[in-house]
Amino acid sequence: MRRLADSYRTALVTGASTGLGRAVAEMLLEEGVRVWGTARDPARLAVIEGLNAVALDLDSDASVDAAFAAAGRDADGLDLVVNNAGYGLFGSFDELDFAGWRRQLDTMLVRTLRLSHLALRSMRARNRGALVNVSSLAVEFPLPFMSGYNVAKSGLAAFSESMMMEVAGTGVIVIDFRPGDYRTNFNQTMQAASELDSSPDPARAARRLRAWSVLDANLRGAPLPARAAADLRRALLRRRSGTVRSGAFFQARLAPLLVRLIPLRLRRAAVARYFGCS
Ligand SMILES: NC(=O)c1ccc[n+]([C@@H]2O[C@H](COP(=O)([O-])OP(=O)(O)OC[C@H]3O[C@@H](n4cnc5c(N)ncnc54)[C@H](OP(=O)(O)O)[C@@H]3O)[C@@H](O)[C@H]2O)c1
C-alpha cells in the first residue's frame, strides 16, 4: 500500500497542539513522514510522540519567519506545509472592537499567506511539494456573527484557487481543504463568546444566543478530527491540486450540491432561519 512518506519526506503543520492540526500531525507521523508541528507554547506539543516542536505565534511576522526558517533548516526542506492554525471570533460586527476584528484577518489570512509565500518560494525552487490551506465550509455557507472568520477563510480559499492556477503543470500542488463541523476545542477557544448575552439591545442578544446555540450543538455532535485527517490523507495521495470538502455527509456532500441548485435568495433565507436569524 502507498504511504504518504513515498511522496512527502517532511511536513510542517501549524496549530498541531489540538483538534484538526493534531490529528493531521499524528496521521502524517503514522504515514512515516517527519513532522514539525507548531503551537504558541511548544511545550503543549510534547504529547505527540515523534513530533518536532516549533514555536509559532501568528500574531507576529517575526515568529512566522523564524518558525519557517527553523523547521525548514532542521528538515532540510519542507515537502508539505499545512496551514491549519486558526480561531474564531463570535459577535455582532458593529459591537465588536474593530482592532480585535481586524486581528483575525491579520492572523488567519495575512500571516498565513506570509507562511504560504515562504513555503511556495521554497517548493517552486525545488519543483516539488504540497501546500494545504485549511479554510472552511463557511466559505460556502457563511456563519452569522462570524464575519471576520468568513472573510479570512474566503480570502484564504480565493488565494488557494489563484495558486492552483499558478502552479499548474509544475511539481507543486495546492489544496484548499474545507472542513465542515468537527468536534474540537474550536468553540471553547472562540473569542467574545462571553459577551453572548450582553448587548444594549436585548432582541439582538437573544438572536445572537440562538445562533450560538446552533453552532455549539453542531460542533458537539460533529465527527472527530481523525476523519478530517483521513480525508486529507486521501487527497495528498492523489497528488493533485484541488478543493477538498471534509465532514459529515450532509455538510460536506449534500449541502454543497443543493446550493448549486437553489437560488441565492432562498439559500440565504434558509440559512438565516436555521440559525434563528430570520
Ligand atoms: N472544528 C471545526 O469545526 C472547523 C471547521 C472548519 C474549519 N476549521 C479550521 O480548522 C483549523 C483548526 O481548528 P480546530 O477546530 O482544530 O481548533 P482548535 O482545536 O482550537 O485548534 C486551533 C489550533 O490553532 C492554533 N492557534 C490558534 N490561534 C493561533 C495563533 N494566533 N497563532 C498560532 N497558532 C494559533 C492553536 O495552537 P495554540 O493555542 O496551542 O497556540 C491550536 O493548535 C482552524 O483554522 C479552523 O478555522 C475548524
Side-chain angles (χ1 to χ4, degrees), residues 15-21 38-41 44 56-59 84-87 103 107-108 134-137 149 153 179-186 189 219:
S17 57
T18 58
L20 300 184
T38 81
R40 281 167 288 190
D41 173 6
R44 296 188 73 198
L56 169 67
D57 184 348
L58 281 170
D59 288 337
N84 163 77
Y87 68 96
R103 186 178 145 243
T107 305
M108 292 202 341
V134 177
S135 64
S136 169
L137 281 176
Y149 185 81
K153 292 301 192 185
D181 286 319
Y182 275 99
R183 214 181 317 157
T184 67
N185 287 340
F186 187 80
T189 53
L219 221 70

Side-chain angles (χ1 to χ4, degrees), residues 162-226:
S162 292
M163 289 309 109
M164 287 179 211
M165 292 186 270
E166 289 193 22
V167 302
T170 73
V172 178
I173 63 164
V174 175
I175 293 175
D176 174 14
F177 189 73
R178 298 185 180 177
D181 286 319
Y182 275 99
R183 214 181 317 157
T184 67
N185 287 340
F186 187 80
N187 276 8
Q188 280 82 59
T189 53
M190 180 99 78
Q191 295 178 20
S194 58
E195 295 158 26
L196 275 177
D197 49 6
S198 67
S199 170
D201 175 356
R204 204 191 243 249
R207 170 189 280 233
R208 205 157 58 210
L209 203 53
R210 282 199 300 275
W212 173 261
S213 309
V214 176
L215 284 176
D216 204 38
N218 282 352
L219 221 70
R220 284 177 199 280
L224 290 168

Side-chain angles (χ1 to χ4, degrees), residues 237-260:
L237 280 173
R238 283 197 291 273
R239 287 210 48 80
R240 273 202 313 269
S241 289
T243 300
V244 177
R245 297 178 181 84
S246 170
F249 178 76
F250 179 77
Q251 285 189 355
R253 302 271 175 273
L254 203 53
L257 192 67
L258 288 176
V259 297
R260 278 180 228 142

